[in-house]
Amino acid sequence: MERIETVVIGAGVIGLACAKILAESRREVIVLEAADSIGSETSSRNSEVIHAGIYYPKDSLKARFCVAGKAALYDYCDTHGIPYRRCGKLIVATTPQEESALSEIVQKAKNNGVMDLKYLTAEQAMALEPALFCTNALLSPSTGIIDSHALMQAYQGDAESCGAMIVCNSPVLGGRRDGQGIILSIGGADPMELCANEVIIAAGLHSQTVARAIDGIPTSTIPGQYFCKGNYFITAARSPFQRLIYPVPAQAGLGVHVTIDMAGGLRFGPDTEWIDGLADPNLYDVDPDRAQAFYAAVRRYYPALPDGVLSPGYSGIRPKLSPPGSTADDFQIDGSQTHTVPGLICLYGMESPGLTASLAIARHVQGLLAQPQ
């Protein structure tokens, strides 16, 4: 049986960030990815936004890691040539009833150490963005956009330059703990068993499935597993906006918003579609009929959106820990003090702002591994 010091399960943006940080600490690292390429699920099916850390409850993991991760990510982009734009975003109220939510957002942001939000009158906001309609707005100057694929490739390159290996088409089918470490059963073209001193489950949508397959992890510590699909529509027109435009947040997400890609293209989304599982072969298809709801949502703040311009774009799935109607989830990161398995770190519910927070999450994982087991 092969032995390795550290295994990261999952080569999404957080798994790759963990591999980078752990390999740079002189660990021997292998990343096991079930798919045939890195970052093919949640990490590449999102809005590619660098979030400011505005919305999350005070002292939550999302708040802490988003704010710290944002600063680390901008620095990393500057030193590694990752394409990004600190374009800013407007959070807009479109009715007087929504205006009270803006003051609540400002207070949440201050609680999280985000002090740069600015109130704008309707006139000020619409002077910045002439295509916009709103009754009031907040400007978040530290929000940005990023090329997520370039970021993941940079994390992979850093990890590999320190000796890490990324192995695709290698699903983890199960595992068990024994006196030697954690023994993983790996499928694929060449099935094998691998014994690791440390294992980080960063499998995104599949983290709970992997955890349940490893004997020794108490099932009581594994959270619920729910899936919220977000659909995006695109248009061939160039964006009339220079900044991202977000409505007042919705319950399961941040509402159908306007984002801009690094080429200046315009996209709208995501919406909220709860799904039962991941088995549907057409899982990521976008139903063209959902466009009508998009027109209605977007025209609240972009009334000049023409008829017939929206086309199905892409979709992504948020790994949720609670069912529809529940309050917003936090990240769940469990070390041995929670599940009693030495050397094992389980990451659950790694949805937005996971990309922004990726470096901060990876450093937290490194810290947990350094604690007495």
Side-chain angles (χ1 to χ4, degrees):
M1 182 188 307
E2 296 287 337
R3 292 192 61 87
I4 187 75
E5 185 173 6
T6 305
V7 169
V8 178
I9 302 173
V13 67
I14 293 174
L16 291 170
C18 289
K20 161 191 160 56
I21 294 296
L22 296 176
E24 287 173 347
S25 70
R26 300 186 177 180
R27 285 173 165 85
E28 182 187 23
V29 178
I30 288 181
V31 181
L32 300 175
E33 170 54 50
D36 59 5
S37 61
I38 66 170
S40 61
E41 292 186 330
T42 306
S43 296
S44 60
R45 295 177 169 273
N46 55 64
S47 300
E48 294 187 300
V49 171
I50 300 175
H51 290 285
I54 295 168
Y55 304 103
Y56 316 111
K58 182 181 179 181
D59 297 326
S60 65
L61 296 183
K62 285 186 176 180
R64 289 167 46 202
F65 295 150
C66 185
V67 173
K70 173 186 64 176
L73 188 56
Y74 277 130
D75 287 345
Y76 185 80
C77 289
D78 286 336
T79 57
H80 287 72
I82 310 300
Y84 78 94
R85 280 179 53 205
R86 199 186 301 240
C87 56
K89 81 173 177 182
L90 292 173
I91 307 166
V92 301
T94 56
T95 67
Q97 291 76 23
E98 290 181 340
E99 292 176 17
S100 62
L102 297 182
S103 60
E104 295 173 7
I105 291 169
V106 170
Q107 188 57 55
K108 277 189 173 181
K110 288 180 178 178
N111 290 343
N112 296 339
V114 181
M115 310 302 289
D116 60 354
L117 292 191
K118 292 178 57 178
Y119 276 111
L120 300 179
T121 65
E123 291 76 15
Q124 289 171 324
M126 291 187 285
L128 289 176
E129 298 289 359
L132 177 68
F133 168 79
C134 67
T135 58
N136 276 109
L138 296 173
L139 173 64
S140 170
S142 61
T143 299
I145 55 175
I146 188 171
D147 183 333
S148 62
H149 296 277
L151 176 65
M152 288 188 283
Q153 289 169 348
Y155 285 168
Q156 178 181 2
D158 284 353
E160 290 177 337
S161 69
C162 292
M165 293 177 58
I166 286 81
V167 185
C168 294
N169 298 305
S170 299
V172 174
L173 306 179
R176 64 189 186 276
R177 58 184 294 193
D178 71 1
Q180 303 178 69
I182 301 168
I183 299 173
L184 300 174
S185 299
I186 303 165
D190 299 301
M192 65 175 295
E193 285 196 333
L194 185 64
C195 183
N197 297 334
E198 301 170 339
V199 172
I200 294 89
I201 300 177
L205 298 171
H206 314 283
S207 281
Q208 289 93 322
T209 302
V210 172
R212 286 193 293 266
I214 297 178
D215 292 340
I217 300 179
T219 57
S220 61
T221 68
I222 302 173
Q225 189 175 28
Y226 304 92
F227 306 109
C228 185
K229 182 177 178 180
N231 300 279
Y232 292 82
F233 280 77
I234 59 174
T235 174
R238 286 191 64 83
S239 175
F241 301 106
Q242 298 300 311
R243 298 160 187 82
L244 313 183
I245 310 296
Y246 278 58
V248 170
Q251 185 178 42
L254 299 181
V256 174
H257 50 260
V258 173
T259 58
I260 309 160
D261 63 27
M262 291 301 301
L266 186 63
R267 53 193 177 191
F268 304 91
D271 62 356
T272 298
E273 179 187 358
W274 291 90
I275 59 176
D276 292 332
L278 306 175
D280 184 348
N282 302 312
L283 181 65
Y284 289 108
D285 289 356
V286 177
D287 181 357
D289 290 341
R290 300 183 77 85
Q292 294 309 310
F294 272 68
Y295 282 111
V298 173
R299 281 175 175 154
R300 294 178 61 221
Y301 54 82
Y302 177 23
L305 178 67
D307 286 329
V309 298
L310 295 184
S311 302
Y314 63 98
S315 69
I317 298 171
R318 310 173 186 95
K320 295 285 189 180
L321 305 185
S322 302
S326 302
T327 56
D329 293 328
D330 197 7
F331 296 146
Q332 181 172 328
I333 303 178
D334 293 348
S336 60
Q337 293 181 339
T338 300
H339 51 58
T340 72
V341 181
L344 176 69
I345 309 293
C346 302
L347 288 79
Y348 304 114
M350 294 290 116
E351 56 166 344
S352 180
L355 188 153
T356 305
S358 54
L359 288 171
I361 292 169
R363 288 172 180 146
H364 178 70
V365 167
Q366 181 185 29
L368 289 177
L369 291 172
Q371 294 177 0
Q373 302 289 313

